[in-house]
Amino acid sequence: MGISNWELTALATMKYHLQASLSRLSIASFLLLLSCLLPTAVFSDSDTKTHFSPNSPTFNLYAVKRIHGRRRTASGSTRSYVLYIPQKSPSLPGPPYPLVVMVHGFLMSSNQQGSTDLYIAQRGIAVLAPNMTRILLGSKNRTKNVIDVVDQTKWLVQQNKTSSSPYYGLIDPQRMGIAGNSSGGAVCFESALEAQRIHIPFHSLCSMEGVPWDRTLGRVSQLEPTQILTLRAESCLCNFHWNVLKYTKLLKFPTNDVKVNGAHHCDAENPTTVGCMSVCGISHRKYRQLFKLITYLYLRDTLKAPRVYNPSQSFAEVMNDMQRDGIVSAHLDNLQTSMLSSRADFQPDALK
């Protein structure tokens, strides 16, 4: 089936922890744990649903319209998605907005980045969160996931150009990025290559604890210059001991790397699950907030999104401050000039 080395490692890790759990837990407890490990990956409703998150009464943030929908994709699958759309406000910059495609991780669904997606959208970046097959057991599912993530993006770009579409003029195709955690980070690299091939390239990529696939190793050097951030926790089996760095070394352009000191693999998803923590270690709120904040700042600056509310220092300045305080270890080798300038003092609202 073409199972990758990382998938074999993940299965071995899960087997070890589950065997240890079974030696201590009752069958009922094990089934509860298993239900946490396998969250629903597809919405149960078949119609598009819309929900609103009002803007903050205290801070100058965007209200967000969340649309749950589904459509048939290029692979022949029927896939669900969540679209987070900032709403127009007289006091805030209007559309077209930058777009971020947020890719979920192993055994998860788009729910596992729901907090981060909403946070980003409240700050003026539209977010498309597609649901995928749970990225395990063979090259067929991996290929379908990549095809469908790119197809969902292509569909939204086409809708953006269609005057009769409710999404007409919503996004700026010249300011699109992709982000994903764990094996979602693997999908990011593959999707960036495919999107580049069909001329709807991503201009920014954020790999949050990403674990690229074996097949990507022979292709990653084909990626054209892109703003890339590898955002890491401490080394562990679940991030395959930072093997993503082996891939970025093969690129023909410099990239950026930030390690959140003391963080674990599950801190890259927000919210996380008991299932993830049972396999990959405990998660702490402060680290999840740091992952959320750093991801947002990087996407904000690389996609030239509006700087609403705080923090309004540049990404580079915030990373330098955090590195000075021992919060992160940062190597910023590929930053645009616009990302280096300061506008105001840093006040980390994400950490309040």
Side-chain angles (χ1 to χ4, degrees):
M1 289 188 294
I3 299 177
S4 69
N5 287 336
W6 183 84
E7 288 172 341
L8 290 172
T9 302
L11 288 171
T13 305
M14 289 178 66
K15 179 181 178 182
Y16 170 80
H17 284 280
L18 289 174
Q19 286 177 335
S21 297
L22 282 170
S23 68
R24 299 189 302 268
L25 302 175
S26 67
I27 294 298
S29 299
F30 170 67
L31 290 175
L32 177 61
L33 173 62
L34 189 61
S35 70
C36 295
L37 275 169
L38 300 174
T40 301
V42 179
F43 290 101
S44 59
D45 59 292
S46 58
D47 298 324
T48 298
K49 287 190 175 181
T50 303
H51 305 277
F52 284 90
S53 294
N55 60 337
S56 168
T58 306
F59 309 128
N60 194 25
L61 301 178
Y62 288 85
V64 176
K65 182 179 182 180
R66 288 179 291 179
I67 298 175
H68 296 245
R70 63 173 65 222
R71 56 181 293 273
R72 192 167 181 81
T73 57
S75 74
S77 305
T78 298
R79 302 285 199 183
S80 60
Y81 62 86
V82 186
L83 186 59
Y84 296 75
I85 305 176
Q87 299 298 286
K88 292 181 182 179
S89 168
S91 61
L92 295 168
Y97 303 110
L99 173 71
V100 170
V101 179
M102 186 66 73
V103 187
H104 65 77
F106 174 67
L107 285 179
M108 298 299 174
S109 74
S110 61
N111 295 336
Q112 266 56 60
Q113 287 296 351
S115 176
T116 300
D117 295 339
L118 180 59
Y119 183 88
I120 290 172
Q122 287 176 322
R123 287 152 181 80
I125 302 174
V127 180
L128 173 63
N131 275 299
M132 305 179 295
T133 304
R134 292 170 181 167
I135 318 177
L136 183 66
L137 300 180
S139 60
K140 182 178 179 181
N141 283 342
R142 295 197 296 269
T143 298
K144 287 177 67 175
N145 283 338
V146 172
I147 289 171
D148 289 346
V149 165
V150 175
D151 184 69
Q152 297 277 47
T153 307
K154 182 180 178 181
W155 164 77
L156 186 55
V157 170
Q158 291 172 337
Q159 292 291 306
N160 186 68
K161 298 177 181 178
T162 304
S163 59
S164 60
S165 169
Y167 308 130
Y168 177 65
L170 172 68
I171 63 169
D172 182 353
Q174 300 305 312
R175 293 187 293 160
M176 295 198 308
I178 188 168
N181 67 291
S182 194
S183 53
V187 176
C188 285
F189 281 100
E190 289 279 334
S191 295
L193 285 163
E194 177 61 17
Q196 172 184 291
R197 185 185 68 81
I198 64 173
H199 307 296
I200 54 165
F202 295 109
H203 303 280
S204 179
L205 187 157
C206 181
S207 169
M208 301 175 284
E209 278 285 275
V211 190
W213 301 325
D214 299 342
R215 74 180 196 184
T216 310
L217 194 62
R219 305 180 60 222
V220 71
S221 63
Q222 300 170 24
L223 193 62
E224 295 176 357
T226 306
Q227 289 287 333
I228 292 180
L229 171 66
T230 49
L231 182 54
R232 299 179 289 120
E234 299 293 347
S235 177
C236 65
L237 274 175
C238 288
N239 62 24
F240 209 42
H241 297 294
W242 299 338
N243 81 324
V244 67
L245 299 179
K246 177 173 65 175
Y247 291 73
T248 54
K249 286 179 180 178
L250 297 176
L251 294 169
K252 298 176 182 178
F253 53 91
T255 63
N256 306 293
D257 178 73
V258 173
K259 180 174 79 72
V260 180
N261 297 327
H264 291 84
H265 187 70
C266 299
D267 294 319
E269 60 184 30
N270 195 346
T272 189
T273 64
V274 173
C276 182
M277 291 189 287
S278 71
V279 175
C280 297
I282 195 68
S283 175
H284 295 280
R285 181 173 180 266
K286 69 175 182 177
Y287 293 126
R288 292 196 301 275
Q289 290 175 326
L290 280 168
F291 265 89
K292 177 173 68 176
L293 174 63
I294 294 169
T295 299
Y296 159 67
L297 286 174
Y298 189 76
L299 294 170
R300 181 199 69 181
D301 286 8
T302 53
L303 299 178
K304 301 178 182 178
R307 292 188 175 190
V308 297
Y309 183 52
N310 288 311
S312 53
Q313 274 186 303
S314 72
F315 168 79
E317 289 169 328
V318 175
M319 292 306 98
N320 287 337
D321 287 350
M322 287 187 176
Q323 181 157 251
R324 181 195 61 211
D325 295 337
I327 298 171
V328 303
S329 300
H331 301 278
L332 308 180
D333 299 323
N334 183 20
L335 293 179
Q336 301 167 346
T337 303
S338 61
M339 296 178 65
L340 303 176
S341 61
S342 173
R343 289 198 178 186
D345 294 333
F346 169 53
Q347 297 181 29
D349 64 301
L351 302 182
K352 291 181 179 178

